[in-house]
Amino acid sequence: MSGGEVAGILVAVFWAILVSFLAVALVRLAQTLKATTKLVADVTDQAVPLLADASAAVRSAQTQIERVDAIASDVQEVTSNASALSTTVASTFGGPLVKVAAFGYGVRRAMSGRGEDTPDKAPRRTVVVGRTVPAARRAKRKKD
């Protein structure tokens, strides 16, 4: 055997090993692609119903938001009506009620016989050894 024949055999063996490794890699790649295809199919089968449910939930939420919006506008209208009503009642009855209250107060003051111009009696002062004792202490001393 010559050196060329040995080199040819080595190259043939190298190519056989290389082709074997490539064949194994291609088989594994094919298995990975099959598994990936199956996974994508399963995800698609599960995602379609989930998307349908999500779409239904969004539609339901939109309906509820429209209802809440209608309720909020009704509440705003009721609030403005209540404000207008309270303003009307205050302007209609407020002035006359104040006048009636003032008249009643004046009648009570007149009936009690004490006018606003009459000054109150000055408090009586007690002198004890050159100083004035406050009324609270006077009351305490009277009890003792």
Side-chain angles (χ1 to χ4, degrees):
M1 251 190 222
S2 70
E5 292 175 348
V6 172
I9 291 175
L10 285 176
V11 169
V13 170
F14 173 73
W15 279 106
I17 292 172
L18 181 65
V19 168
S20 298
F21 280 128
L22 288 175
V24 169
L26 286 175
V27 168
R28 291 190 183 225
L29 181 62
Q31 289 174 350
T32 304
L33 287 175
K34 283 181 186 177
T36 304
T37 304
K38 183 180 179 205
L39 179 66
V40 168
D42 289 345
V43 167
T44 302
D45 291 342
Q46 292 176 0
V48 170
L50 286 175
L51 289 174
D53 290 345
S55 177
V58 167
R59 279 191 219 105
S60 174
Q62 180 64 28
T63 304
Q64 296 300 325
I65 287 173
E66 289 171 359
R67 288 180 183 171
V68 167
D69 189 37
I71 290 170
S73 65
D74 290 344
V75 166
Q76 184 178 9
E77 185 178 339
V78 167
T79 302
S80 64
N81 289 343
S83 175
L85 179 65
S86 68
T87 303
T88 303
V89 168
S91 65
T92 303
F93 296 114
L97 285 177
V98 169
K99 290 178 184 176
V100 168
F103 178 74
Y105 177 74
V107 168
R108 274 186 285 141
R109 290 286 291 206
M111 295 302 267
S112 69
R114 179 172 182 225
E116 196 173 304
D117 297 335
T118 309
D120 291 338
K121 289 184 178 178
R124 201 171 133 209
R125 296 179 161 253
T126 306
V127 178
V128 176
V129 189
R131 67 179 185 171
T132 305
V133 177
R137 286 182 60 198
R138 272 186 276 144
K140 187 177 176 183
R141 285 186 182 207
K142 286 182 182 178
K143 287 181 184 177
D144 291 340

